């Protein structure tokens, strides 16, 4: 299929065309990359914008269950929902993928939803690019909401937060009354903390955990992109589908406030600039790795550094001078 036709089909919202295009942007082949860039350029002026929601949480907290319930609620309201999973660590076992199939059974069959799992065995830089491109494709295909899911391990949260309009942290009820080991940096990125599993025997613990986090959020430095009362913590039950409409209402209120106050567009502009810089940096590194002369020089200088014949800084300066020469 040629790029013009693929673009037309994506604009028409054809899910198969979208899936094909995502496969294209995931490819590492140079000729595929050229086609992917041509496609993205062609779709760039679509003017369509989805609400991009980043969702993070440790394994087992209920992300898949939440996405199923939340996604079904949104499609029930006539919204089109795309789900992209990000998992650079490839920590996801085969069992989890099978688990997702059953946990997102209804959403998988829903015509107004599109679910795309993470490609395995890709470096973080590659995953970032692939996800960013996939978000752009989903927007061009007219999705109203793009959910970007990531397992709460490592740097993937920062990456997802850098491409989302809203960042949601999903937590489970804590056993004791102390805060779970959530890193401060991740708390600081959260716009809304959802304490999941607020049902049955777990409900009291969920409410305590929620109160603890609400308190912790109040202690964080005030951010300019937040209206009064944000970031906030709430309880939900993905399993019993409780609190989901409430959570959605808060997400909409926050997004609307940010739009009205210029933060929404400003953040997107800042993100675009950030990713442009990242892409150039990655491209430069790739060029370095592909160029045999540069690699030989790296090896030579690396060995000299290892033998203690030249300082790290001196060797790096020599390398950079050779590259710009
Ligand atoms: N009680 C209760 N259990 C839940 C709820 N949401 C999820 N669970 C259960 O928690 C377990 C893990 O749920 P998942 O949705 O697979 O969690 P996940 O975060 O996607 O896990 P990974 O994909 O491994 O990272 C399952 O047994 C779910 O049934 C909830 O709201 N209440
Ligand atoms: Mg899951």
């Amino acid at each position: 299929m040629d790029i013009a036709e693929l673009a037309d089909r994506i604009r028409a919202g054809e899910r198969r065309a979208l899936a094909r295009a995502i496969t294209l942007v995931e490819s590492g082949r140079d000729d595929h990359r050229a086609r992917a860039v041509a496609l993205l350029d062609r779709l760039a002026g679509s003017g369509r914008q989805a609400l991009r929601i980043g969702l993070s949480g440790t394994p087992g907290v209920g992300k898949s269950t939440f996405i199923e319930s939340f996604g079904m609620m949104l499609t029930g309201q006539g919204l089109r929902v795309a789900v992209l999973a990000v998992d650079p660590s490839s920590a996801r076992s085969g069992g989890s993928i099978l688990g997702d199939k059953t946990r997102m059974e209804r959403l998988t069959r829903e015509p107004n939803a599109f679910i795309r799992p993470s490609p395995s065995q890709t470096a973080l830089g590659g995953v970032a690019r692939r996800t960013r491109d996939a978000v752009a494709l989903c927007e061009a295909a007219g999705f109203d909401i793009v959910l970007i899911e990531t397992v709460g391990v490592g740097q993937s949260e920062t990456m997802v937060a850098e491409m989302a309009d809203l960042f949601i942290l999903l937590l489970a009820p804590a056993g004791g009354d102390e805060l779970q080991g959530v890193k401060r940096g991740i708390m600081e990125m959260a716009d809304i903390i959802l304490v999941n599993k607020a049902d049955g025997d777990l409900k009291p613990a969920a409410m305590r955990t929620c109160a603890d986090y609400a308190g912790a959020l109040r202690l964080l430095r005030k951010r300019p992109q937040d209206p009064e009362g944000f970031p906030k913590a709430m309880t939900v039950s993905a399993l019993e589908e409780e609190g989901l409409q409430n959570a959605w209402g808060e997400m909409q209120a926050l997004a609307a406030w940010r739009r009205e106050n210029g933060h929404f567009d400003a953040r997107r502009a800042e993100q675009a600039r950030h990713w442009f810089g990242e892409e150039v940096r990655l491209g430069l590194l790739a060029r370095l790795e592909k160029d045999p002369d540069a690699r030989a020089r790296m090896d030579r200088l690396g060995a000299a550094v290892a033998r203690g014949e030249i300082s790290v800084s001196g060797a790096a300066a020599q390398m950079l001078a050779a590259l710009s020469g």
Side-chain angles (χ1 to χ4, degrees):
M1 197 188 298
D2 74 356
I3 289 300
E5 188 184 346
L6 190 56
D8 285 343
R9 292 194 179 185
I10 289 168
R11 274 198 218 92
E14 273 184 41
R15 290 197 299 181
R16 281 188 55 190
L18 177 59
R20 255 175 103 154
I22 295 180
T23 303
L24 185 64
V25 302
E26 282 170 359
S27 170
R29 267 174 54 178
D30 286 346
D31 57 329
H32 287 171
R33 193 63 205 155
R35 280 165 59 77
V37 169
L39 177 66
L40 290 163
D41 273 345
R42 192 173 268 271
L43 291 170
S46 76
R48 291 174 171 175
Q49 202 179 58
L51 182 62
R52 306 173 184 169
I53 303 175
L55 178 75
S56 168
T58 48
V61 64
K63 295 179 297 299
S64 301
T65 312
F66 176 82
I67 289 169
E68 161 93 347
S69 308
F70 190 65
M72 286 306 293
M73 184 193 77
L74 296 175
T75 56
Q77 296 174 10
L79 295 165
R80 297 183 68 218
V81 181
V83 179
L84 303 171
V86 172
D87 190 2
S89 64
S90 58
R92 186 171 296 255
S93 66
S96 285
I97 292 172
L98 276 180
D100 272 354
K101 282 232 170 91
T102 54
R103 264 161 217 142
M104 300 201 216
E105 198 178 6
R106 288 179 299 153
L107 199 60
T108 309
R109 284 186 275 112
E110 167 59 49
N112 279 329
F114 175 85
I115 302 178
R116 182 77 176 197
S118 185
S120 52
Q121 314 285 346
T122 319
L124 190 63
V127 175
R129 172 204 271 169
R130 163 263 176 197
T131 309
R132 230 169 44 237
D133 290 350
V135 169
L137 293 170
C138 291
E139 291 197 321
F143 282 89
D144 301 296
I145 290 146
V146 179
L147 272 169
I148 313 163
E149 181 215 325
T150 188
V151 173
V153 284
Q155 300 165 296
S156 61
E157 276 127 337
T158 313
M159 186 196 92
V160 168
E162 273 294 340
M163 52 180 82
D165 302 314
L166 302 178
F167 188 70
I168 313 293
L169 181 61
L170 207 60
L171 295 176
D177 46 10
E178 79 283 13
L179 296 185
Q180 295 165 64
V182 177
K183 289 191 211 78
R184 189 190 167 89
I186 292 166
M187 283 262 292
E188 283 171 345
M189 290 189 300
D191 294 311
I192 298 176
I193 287 181
L194 295 177
V195 182
N196 190 33
K197 310 195 183 185
D199 50 50
D201 293 347
L202 290 169
K203 192 159 187 176
M207 292 179 61
R208 261 198 322 273
T209 303
C210 182
D212 289 346
Y213 276 96
L217 286 174
R218 276 194 294 274
L219 295 178
L220 294 179
R221 187 158 39 91
K222 176 111 183 81
R223 307 180 305 180
Q225 70 270 31
D226 292 328
E228 195 55 40
F230 282 91
K232 66 171 58 181
M234 329 171 51
T235 58
V236 292
S237 167
L239 203 60
E240 304 203 335
E241 307 187 6
E242 270 175 44
L244 301 179
Q245 182 55 49
N246 205 7
W248 173 230
E250 297 292 351
M251 291 179 211
Q252 284 177 293
L254 179 57
W257 186 89
R258 286 183 178 169
R259 278 187 208 279
E260 278 157 28
N261 291 277
H263 294 290
F264 197 95
D265 290 340
R267 175 137 178 83
R268 282 213 173 182
E270 186 190 304
Q271 290 173 338
R273 206 170 293 139
H274 166 83
W275 289 118
F276 162 69
E278 271 310 284
E279 189 77 356
V280 171
R281 267 188 287 277
L282 271 182
L284 283 175
L285 284 178
R287 204 176 279 180
L288 188 61
E289 269 152 29
K290 268 187 206 150
D291 176 359
D293 289 346
R295 278 178 57 172
R297 191 182 294 271
M298 280 291 278
D299 289 345
R300 227 167 35 240
L301 285 166
V305 166
R307 286 193 301 266
E309 293 165 8
I310 180 171
S311 72
V312 168
S313 298
Q318 273 191 39
M319 186 68 214
L320 292 171
L323 285 176
S324 55

